[in-house]
Amino acid sequence: MGFTAVDGLPMGTRTGQLDPGAVLYLLQAKGFDAGQVERFLYHDGGLKGLSGISNDVRDLLASDAPGAARALGYLVYRIAREAGALAAAMGGIDGIVFTAGIGERSPAIRGRVMERLRWLGFELDPGSNDRHGPLISATGSRRKAYVIPTDEEQMIARHTLALLKATC
């Protein structure tokens, strides 16, 4: 994410990184006002907007509709693109961690992302991936890939408690 939750990867209903010209198009050619653009960026875009079906990856994986395939293909493309860009910016990559909703629970998406990242030295162990890891890279893989569960609410609570203790 960047300045807002709209930047970065596409999410269920948020567009993710978007060409600024698309916003101008919505304003000028489609007659959207600022509120309509905001609604599109935060609530009507992302996987929901791309697929025209759902914001839930499970629904999209179960569907044979072209929109579902389009949305999932774009999601995988963007994850791989971001990983490649980060690898270039950092001068290499040691490994990758899949976490949160899709990263923790979708072997299909992880598998597709790993396939796109083969050029970086990732090789998937399909059985381990199906079992949700924690290590999902193959024995001979040059790079390691993991599935690590996250608990964002617990982390927020811990940081909040630490801040309260520091100020009281």
Side-chain angles (χ1 to χ4, degrees):
M1 293 184 198
F3 178 71
T4 69
V6 174
D7 196 18
L9 297 174
M11 297 183 197
T13 61
R14 294 188 293 242
T15 59
Q17 185 183 27
L18 186 69
D19 180 333
V23 174
L24 296 175
Y25 173 79
L26 293 173
L27 292 168
Q28 296 169 350
K30 294 296 186 179
F32 279 34
D33 62 30
Q36 290 171 305
V37 169
E38 181 180 17
R39 173 144 188 92
F40 170 75
L41 295 175
Y42 285 95
H43 303 289
D44 296 330
L47 299 177
K48 177 183 172 186
L50 287 166
S51 70
I53 297 168
S54 175
N55 65 345
D56 192 316
V57 167
R58 293 169 297 190
D59 294 339
L60 300 177
L61 286 167
S63 175
D64 59 359
R70 176 179 49 248
L72 293 173
Y74 183 70
L75 175 65
V76 169
Y77 159 76
R78 285 306 311 270
I79 294 169
R81 178 179 150 175
E82 293 301 317
L86 288 170
M90 296 184 302
I93 189 169
D94 295 323
I96 191 167
V97 173
F98 293 91
T99 193
I102 297 167
E104 286 178 43
R105 296 179 191 93
S106 181
I109 297 298
R110 290 192 304 262
R112 290 174 64 180
V113 169
M114 290 282 287
E115 181 60 34
R116 280 187 166 262
L117 297 179
R118 284 182 72 88
W119 68 276
L120 283 171
F122 289 100
E123 187 177 334
L124 182 68
D125 177 334
S128 184
N129 185 40
D130 288 344
R131 291 186 300 276
H132 304 287
L135 179 66
I136 63 168
S137 47
T139 303
S141 182
R142 292 190 342 256
R143 305 283 180 262
K144 301 292 184 193
Y146 296 91
V147 177
I148 299 179
T150 187
D151 188 341
E152 294 163 336
E153 291 82 6
Q154 183 181 52
M155 292 306 298
I156 292 168
R158 284 182 182 172
H159 287 281
T160 302
L161 183 59
L163 181 63
L164 289 172
K165 285 181 179 179
T167 58
C168 292

